[in-house]
Amino acid sequence: MGKAVKDQLGRVIERDERPQPAVILVRPQLGENIGAACRGMLNFGLTELRLVAPRDGWPNPAADAMAAGAVELIETAKLFDTVEEAVADLSFVLAATARRRELEIPVVGTDVVGTEMRAKIEQGVGILFGPEKAGLTNADVVLADKILTYPVNPAFQSLNLAQAVNVFAFIWAQSGDVTVPDIFDDVRSDVAPREELTRMFNHLEDELDKAGFFFPAAKKHLMQQNIRAPLTRAQMSEQEVRTFRGIIKALSKGRGKARGA
Amino acid sequence: MGKAVKDQLGRVIERDERPQPAVILVRPQLGENIGAACRGMLNFGLTELRLVAPRDGWPNPAADAMAAGAVELIETAKLFDTVEEAVADLSFVLAATARRRELEIPVVGTDVVGTEMRAKIEQGVGILFGPEKAGLTNADVVLADKILTYPVNPAFQSLNLAQAVNVFAFIWAQSGDVTVPDIFDDVRSDVAPREELTRMFNHLEDELDKAGFFFPAAKKHLMQQNIRAPLTRAQMSEQEVRTFRGIIKALSKGRGKARGA
């Protein structure tokens, strides 16, 4: 692990090539914040940036200016249209948000999140940060396994996007000194990649649509959340996802014919 | 302790009036960074800002713009000509720096600095942050009891001033977060009683039996495990169980008729 790179004083050092959490900026608005987030990430050794539908497109000169030398992150940032696509290859997804939500998603504190991520890092870990004004929507958050909440001042809790990313990068670096306990019973070896889960949800919701399940239409969104939240929390294995795909198929088989009859 | 203030949603909350570390910006250059530092401080509950000979004078409109609502820090910031004066009333002073120095000053890590500051907070604690370009001089650092070093990427260790202050404020808040808020609790209050889960499993497995899903019969037991295990891990709420009962009903509806047809 590690390839030789030069530091700012020209010293040759080993680059840490171990897997890292992906920082996923969801619909970010200001290029300046994306650039400042890059700088803060690289300061603490994070290099995997993903952008979902940045408002002003990508690349963005305003981001370059604020990255202050963290150009490699600007250049290697991956662009996605949807959050689902951005988390497709991940098995453990966090959502950074301070807002209380009605969602049944467990919250993890900054004191333990680093250890938890490191225990799962080989399977693919990522964290969602929302847009500057509105933050993450419930539809974004429901894609996460856990909500990460910072110990913020309740009277002034809205962090700048870049600073929120910076604090996360610090938490990651800080937790690197912590020895991960051998016994970490939360760790399961074969959690399905998120894209398989997304395909399963789409399959299920397609069939439910055909069955007229989402009624009234105004409640569809809420009903989807009640479906996705528990199945996401379950950290299903690939085998379990296959079983559930089979269930959906078995239960919906022939239903269409019945209606036609 | 505490006086009533309103939070961003207009809720009245008690303001934490316990002693805090002073954040001391030494010869800061850009008003924007001072303003962004104010915002980051207040996000994590720090309100005591001291400025030593800011390059562009004080007050500074560029700082106001970046403080984003943290105006009380701008207004109450104390101005000093020298670092000596700025630390005069303090008993424990840190210097934030990543540079190796020839000074015989002990280094403290981010993992323990919060606890150490809290132990000394009644006697007056402060931390020095240097100017953007040059950082703290040895003459500044020698006024400190300890050097605080962040776990930075050796190849990209120069933090933006505001982000360095922001991380410090986070470290302070994190170290005081001994009382775990109830939203941090992994245990969810309305997990469905196990009997509701059992009824849901029976309902699902009945329908799967009718659909001929459990084939070959020898594998039924294993397939049941793949169904029950993830849904049990999910710690479903009563509402979620009701949603899943609805799903089973919707998907299997009419299927029997199809066969009969």
Side-chain angles (χ1 to χ4, degrees):
Chain A
M1 100 199 164
K3 69 179 179 192
V5 291
K6 285 191 179 168
D7 73 3
Q8 290 168 316
L9 300 174
R11 294 172 299 202
V12 174
I13 55 164
E14 286 289 292
R15 163 82 169 271
D16 189 346
E17 299 269 312
R18 285 171 296 187
Q20 296 179 346
V23 170
I24 305 162
L25 305 188
V26 179
R27 303 178 299 276
Q29 299 176 289
L30 296 171
E32 289 83 350
N33 281 335
I34 302 173
C38 288
R39 179 177 179 176
M41 286 173 65
L42 193 58
N43 279 145
F44 293 110
L46 291 184
T47 53
E48 194 179 338
L49 176 64
R50 302 182 181 190
L51 303 174
V52 177
R55 185 190 67 184
D56 299 336
W58 192 257
N60 181 340
D64 302 351
M66 287 295 284
V71 283
E72 66 176 277
L73 271 77
I74 296 277
E75 285 163 6
T76 60
K78 294 187 191 110
L79 196 59
F80 299 88
D81 290 326
T82 65
V83 179
E84 281 88 347
E85 290 168 275
V87 301
D89 61 329
L90 304 177
S91 295
F92 182 61
V93 177
L94 295 162
T97 174
R99 287 223 330 270
R100 266 165 206 268
R101 295 169 187 271
E102 303 308 306
L103 305 172
E104 293 291 349
I105 298 178
V107 174
V108 61
T110 52
D111 51 339
V112 295
V113 71
T115 309
E116 191 160 342
M117 285 191 295
R118 283 180 190 274
K120 295 173 175 173
I121 196 69
E122 298 290 342
Q123 294 144 263
V125 172
I127 179 164
L128 307 174
F129 290 91
E132 288 88 337
K133 283 274 178 217
L136 295 169
T137 64
N138 277 4
D140 300 324
V141 174
V142 81
L143 295 169
D145 297 284
K146 293 202 176 179
I147 288 172
L148 174 65
T149 301
Y150 293 171
V152 287
N153 176 0
F156 193 72
Q157 58 184 266
S158 172
L159 265 71
N160 165 269
L161 174 58
Q163 293 197 335
V165 170
N166 188 235
V167 166
F168 173 77
F170 165 76
I171 292 168
W172 171 256
Q174 163 84 358
S175 70
D177 298 328
V178 179
T179 310
V180 178
D182 287 340
I183 306 155
F184 202 96
D185 55 7
D186 222 13
V187 182
R188 298 171 50 255
S189 55
D190 58 345
V191 175
R194 194 53 53 99
E195 62 185 341
E196 291 183 20
L197 213 58
T198 301
R199 277 200 290 267
M200 181 183 78
F201 289 145
N202 291 341
H203 180 186
L204 176 57
E205 287 161 14
D206 274 358
E207 291 296 345
L208 288 173
D209 254 334
K210 287 186 214 157
F213 177 75
F214 293 116
F215 181 83
K219 279 200 159 179
K220 176 170 181 176
H221 189 63
L222 190 67
M223 292 159 95
Q224 271 181 322
Q225 283 177 14
N226 280 335
I227 295 167
R228 292 186 173 215
L231 292 172
T232 302
R233 282 201 309 270
Q235 292 261 303
M236 296 168 80
S237 71
E238 299 193 19
Q239 180 53 57
E240 288 169 345
V241 170
R242 277 194 295 274
T243 299
F244 272 70
R245 294 292 294 266
I247 287 175
I248 300 163
K249 207 167 150 187
L251 289 185
S252 48
K253 188 176 57 186
R255 196 176 29 70
K257 283 183 211 155
R259 294 192 148 190
Chain B
M1 94 199 169
K3 68 178 179 192
V5 291
K6 285 192 177 167
D7 74 3
Q8 290 169 315
L9 299 176
R11 294 171 300 202
V12 174
I13 55 163
E14 286 287 294
R15 163 82 169 270
D16 189 347
E17 298 269 312
R18 285 171 296 186
Q20 296 179 346
V23 170
I24 305 162
L25 305 187
V26 178
R27 302 180 297 279
Q29 299 177 286
L30 296 170
E32 289 82 350
N33 281 335
I34 302 172
C38 287
R39 178 176 181 177
M41 286 174 64
L42 192 58
N43 279 144
F44 293 110
L46 291 183
T47 52
E48 194 179 338
L49 176 64
R50 302 182 181 191
L51 302 173
V52 177
R55 185 189 68 185
D56 298 335
W58 193 256
N60 181 339
D64 302 351
M66 286 296 283
V71 282
E72 64 175 281
L73 272 77
I74 298 277
E75 286 163 5
T76 60
K78 294 188 189 108
L79 198 61
F80 299 89
D81 291 328
T82 66
V83 178
E84 284 86 345
E85 290 168 274
V87 301
D89 61 328
L90 305 177
S91 295
F92 182 60
V93 177
L94 296 161
T97 175
R99 287 224 329 272
R100 269 164 205 267
R101 296 171 186 271
E102 303 309 307
L103 306 172
E104 291 291 342
I105 297 178
V107 174
V108 62
T110 53
D111 51 340
V112 294
V113 71
T115 311
E116 192 161 341
M117 285 191 295
R118 282 178 190 274
K120 295 172 176 171
I121 196 70
E122 297 290 341
Q123 287 95 54
V125 171
I127 180 164
L128 306 174
F129 291 90
E132 289 89 337
K133 283 275 179 214
L136 294 168
T137 65
N138 277 5
D140 300 325
V141 174
V142 83
L143 295 170
D145 296 286
K146 293 201 176 178
I147 287 171
L148 174 64
T149 301
Y150 293 169
V152 287
N153 175 0
F156 194 71
Q157 56 184 268
S158 173
L159 265 71
N160 166 268
L161 174 57
Q163 293 197 335
V165 170
N166 187 235
V167 166
F168 172 78
F170 165 75
I171 292 167
W172 171 257
Q174 162 86 352
S175 71
D177 201 26
V178 284
T179 314
V180 180
D182 51 10
I183 59 160
F184 276 54
D185 204 326
D186 231 13
V187 180
R188 296 163 51 252
S189 54
D190 60 341
V191 174
R194 194 51 56 97
E195 62 182 348
E196 291 184 20
L197 213 59
T198 303
R199 277 199 289 266
M200 181 182 80
F201 290 145
N202 290 341
H203 180 185
L204 175 58
E205 288 162 16
D206 273 358
E207 290 295 342
L208 289 172
D209 255 336
K210 287 187 214 159
F213 177 77
F214 293 116
F215 181 85
K219 278 199 162 182
K220 178 171 180 175
H221 188 63
L222 191 66
M223 292 160 96
Q224 272 182 319
Q225 279 177 13
N226 281 334
I227 295 167
R228 295 188 171 214
L231 292 174
T232 303
R233 281 202 308 273
Q235 292 260 300
M236 295 169 81
S237 69
E238 299 193 18
Q239 178 55 56
E240 289 168 346
V241 169
R242 278 194 294 273
T243 299
F244 273 70
R245 296 290 295 266
I247 288 176
I248 300 163
K249 206 168 151 188
L251 289 184
S252 48
K253 187 175 57 185
R255 197 177 28 69
K257 286 182 212 155
R259 294 190 147 189

